[in-house]
Amino acid sequence: MTLNPWRLRLLSQLDALGTVRAVAQAANLSASSVSQQLAVLEAETRTQLLERTGRRVRLTSAGLILARRARSILDQMEAVEAELRGLSQEPSGRVRLGAFQSAIHMLAVPALQQLDHPHLHVELVELEPHASMPALLAGEVDVIITTTDFVGLPVPSDIDVVPLGQDPIVLLTPPGQPKTDLAACKDEPWAFDIPGSYMANLATRLCRQAGFEPRVIGRFSNYMLTLKHVEAGLAVAILPAMAVDPRFDVLTKELPETRRITAAVRRDSRAAITVVLDALHTRSQSDER
């Protein structure tokens, strides 16, 4: 069954206006043309939508249901058409993009460099995953790059999530000190992210799963400081692969853990926000290739 929007509109107008003649006048058609199109709609739906009462027609119960559902369907179609028209216009205004530290230089900055919209201004804010979703929900940012791998943090129903890729979690050890797995590091000093952060919680969980409680001797919210600490032989650490700057002389061992990188926006986002989201998705796809 394929429903024709134009015929649905005629049926909806019949419910609102009451007579075929009134519908014909509103649609700039003849009454016979309206009747013919409604008959085609009945054939398409294989349902009796109209019944005659004297010289007039009225909607059956099935016709009433379809007419009122049609109004909602047509409203949604008009909203989508308006949104697509907006996308075809030059995006403008300010878009606030929140991203965690390693995603800023790996995803956000390269994506923003590809934007060519002189009236679009993107404000980039560092937000770690545990803080980004609340900021999006509160309207403090318009787009976030985050990870949805939190335990106990379901994605709200009014948020749209776009996958951007996978990021392996790696064990970092000083040069010349390769380790085969986490258990081999149980007696090592550790550098962690700040308490309560996504990476601090993840590293704690992974160490405990390996059978030990990590001895933390340094906490850094900046990944560069963590890498410098490991390079100097002062600690070992766990970081996402995306955060490992190749300029640091450290050894990496991929762990059987991966985080999912996603972008998220509110469902009612305007066209300029969608442009930024598309740029992030395009950048992530190019990285995969």
Side-chain angles (χ1 to χ4, degrees):
M1 182 189 302
T2 301
L3 297 177
N4 182 288
W6 179 54
R7 287 192 273 273
L8 286 176
R9 189 175 300 280
L10 293 178
L11 186 71
S12 178
Q13 287 178 325
L14 181 59
D15 180 35
L17 300 176
T19 67
V20 170
R21 186 176 298 277
V23 173
Q25 290 176 344
N28 197 27
L29 296 169
S30 66
S32 61
S33 294
V34 172
S35 296
Q36 182 180 17
Q37 292 304 316
L38 292 174
V40 172
L41 184 59
E42 284 188 308
E44 288 175 337
T45 59
R46 296 187 288 277
T47 305
Q48 184 180 355
L49 304 174
L50 308 171
E51 59 185 3
R52 287 199 169 274
T53 56
R55 299 180 62 184
R56 301 180 62 178
V57 296
R58 68 179 184 185
L59 295 174
T60 63
S61 57
L64 283 169
I65 290 173
L66 181 57
R68 289 164 191 181
R69 293 284 191 275
R71 195 168 299 133
S72 174
I73 293 169
L74 294 168
D75 286 345
Q76 290 181 31
M77 290 179 65
E78 288 177 359
V80 170
E81 289 171 358
E83 185 175 353
L84 291 175
R85 286 195 299 271
L87 291 175
S88 67
Q89 298 170 358
E90 176 63 31
S92 62
R94 182 182 67 155
V95 174
R96 297 158 299 178
L97 169 60
F100 55 85
Q101 190 180 141
S102 56
I104 289 178
H105 69 273
M106 291 294 292
L107 277 174
V109 170
L112 299 182
Q113 287 176 321
Q114 300 303 310
L115 290 176
D116 186 22
H117 303 287
H119 303 296
L120 176 62
H121 306 286
V122 181
E123 178 182 310
L124 186 55
V125 181
E126 182 183 342
L127 283 174
E128 288 304 303
H130 65 279
S132 58
M133 188 63 75
L136 180 64
L137 292 171
E140 296 169 3
V141 290
D142 303 302
V143 188
I144 58 173
I145 304 174
T146 188
T147 175
T148 53
D149 295 327
F150 291 105
V151 176
L153 184 62
V155 177
S157 60
D158 59 343
I159 297 296
D160 284 330
V161 174
V162 176
L164 296 181
Q166 305 280 336
D167 190 20
I169 303 299
V170 297
L171 170 65
L172 301 179
T173 58
Q177 299 182 36
K179 299 293 183 181
T180 56
D181 55 25
L182 277 179
C185 297
K186 64 179 182 179
D187 296 323
E188 299 289 341
W190 284 82
F192 267 34
D193 205 327
I194 58 174
S197 66
Y198 168 75
M199 279 310 304
N201 292 340
L202 175 60
T204 300
R205 174 172 65 82
L206 292 177
C207 288
R208 288 173 178 170
Q209 287 176 351
F212 66 95
E213 194 69 26
R215 179 168 59 91
V216 180
I217 54 91
R219 288 190 178 272
F220 310 104
S221 62
N222 187 305
Y223 291 157
M224 299 297 179
L225 295 177
T226 301
L227 288 163
K228 188 65 178 176
H229 219 60
V230 174
E231 183 183 52
L234 299 175
V236 298
I238 292 173
L239 286 182
M242 187 184 288
V244 181
D245 191 317
R247 292 175 296 180
F248 289 87
D249 185 13
V250 297
L251 300 177
T252 62
K253 171 69 176 179
E254 194 167 310
L255 300 175
E257 183 86 15
T258 301
R259 67 174 179 173
R260 292 166 291 180
I261 307 302
T262 60
V265 297
R266 292 183 295 278
R267 191 151 291 169
D268 58 352
S269 295
R270 53 194 166 88
I273 295 172
T274 304
V275 167
V276 174
L277 183 64
D278 288 344
L280 293 172
H281 185 253
T282 299
R283 171 63 188 182
S284 69
Q285 295 298 106
S286 66
D287 285 345
E288 288 184 3
R289 289 194 293 268

